[in-house]
């Protein structure tokens, strides 16, 4: 019984006389750009990315935070230096993360309940978790 391709299996491999032979790397590169599920890995990574929930302050913590803020406002002309830990909402999914920035308090917007630091960072007071007043050296 004759097997499939028995008549051609032992023929020599054709090598072009006009073109140089591609390396294995070049041959593999022809297929590299093909991605059947474009964006699939990015979607999985986004789903796996964790976010935090905003923390609701206890009344005593809220009072302590308010006292520190009042202390800063009393010296706003001097642009007091402080660290602020506040919640930043995520643009793509529910939740967000807490970030800490250090800077000089430049401005307080009572109407919008925001503060602005000398570097231009604007922070909503409702998002502030902690204020650490830095004493000048």
């Amino acid at each position: 019984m004759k097997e499939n391709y028995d008549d051609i299996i032992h023929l020599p491999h054709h090598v072009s006389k006009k073109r140089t032979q591609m390396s294995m790397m070049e041959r593999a590169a022809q297929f590299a750009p093909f991605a059947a599920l474009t964006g699939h890995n990015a979607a999985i990574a986004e789903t796996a990315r964790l976010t935090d929930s905003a923390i609701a302050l206890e009344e005593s913590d809220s009072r302590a935070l308010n006292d520190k803020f009042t202390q800063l406002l009393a010296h706003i002309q001097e642009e007091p230096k402080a660290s602020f830990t506040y919640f930043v909402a995520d643009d793509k999914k529910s939740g967000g993360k807490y970030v800490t920035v250090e800077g000089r308090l430049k401005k307080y917007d009572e109407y919008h309940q925001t503060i602005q630091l000398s570097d231009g960072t604007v922070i909503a007071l409702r998002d502030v978790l902690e204020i650490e007043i830095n004493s000048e050296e």
Side-chain angles (χ1 to χ4, degrees):
M1 183 167 138
K2 188 175 179 181
E3 294 292 324
N4 289 342
Y5 306 110
D6 281 349
D7 55 337
I8 62 170
I9 197 84
H10 298 293
L11 291 177
H13 177 72
H14 171 72
V15 178
S16 175
K17 292 177 182 154
K18 296 180 182 176
R19 295 186 178 85
T20 60
Q21 193 170 1
M22 277 191 202
S23 70
M24 292 294 266
M25 193 72 117
E26 290 171 323
R27 290 180 62 164
Q30 293 179 16
F31 302 99
F34 177 74
L37 298 172
T38 304
H40 181 68
N41 286 342
I44 289 173
E46 176 61 27
T47 302
R49 188 172 55 84
L50 298 177
T51 56
D52 294 326
S53 298
I55 297 170
L57 292 175
E58 298 287 329
E59 190 175 332
S60 60
D61 295 331
S62 186
R63 275 196 303 272
L65 192 62
N66 191 42
D67 290 345
K68 287 182 182 180
F69 183 64
T70 302
Q71 204 176 349
L72 285 173
L73 280 182
H75 300 281
I76 197 162
Q77 299 82 9
E78 303 156 26
E79 292 190 8
K81 193 174 184 181
S83 296
F84 300 90
T85 300
Y86 64 101
F87 187 75
V88 177
D90 194 288
D91 292 336
K92 297 182 180 180
K93 59 198 298 187
S94 65
K97 65 181 178 178
Y98 278 94
V99 295
T100 301
V101 294
E102 186 175 324
R104 296 192 171 278
L105 179 60
K106 183 175 181 91
K107 194 164 131 182
Y108 168 56
D109 183 340
E110 189 174 0
Y111 180 77
H112 292 105
Q113 292 292 297
T114 59
I115 56 173
Q116 181 178 349
L117 304 182
S118 58
D119 68 357
T121 303
V122 177
I123 304 169
L125 292 178
R126 70 179 175 277
D127 296 332
V128 176
L129 177 68
E130 187 177 334
I131 297 174
E132 175 118 6
I133 299 173
N134 301 351
S135 58
E136 298 296 324
E137 289 129 33

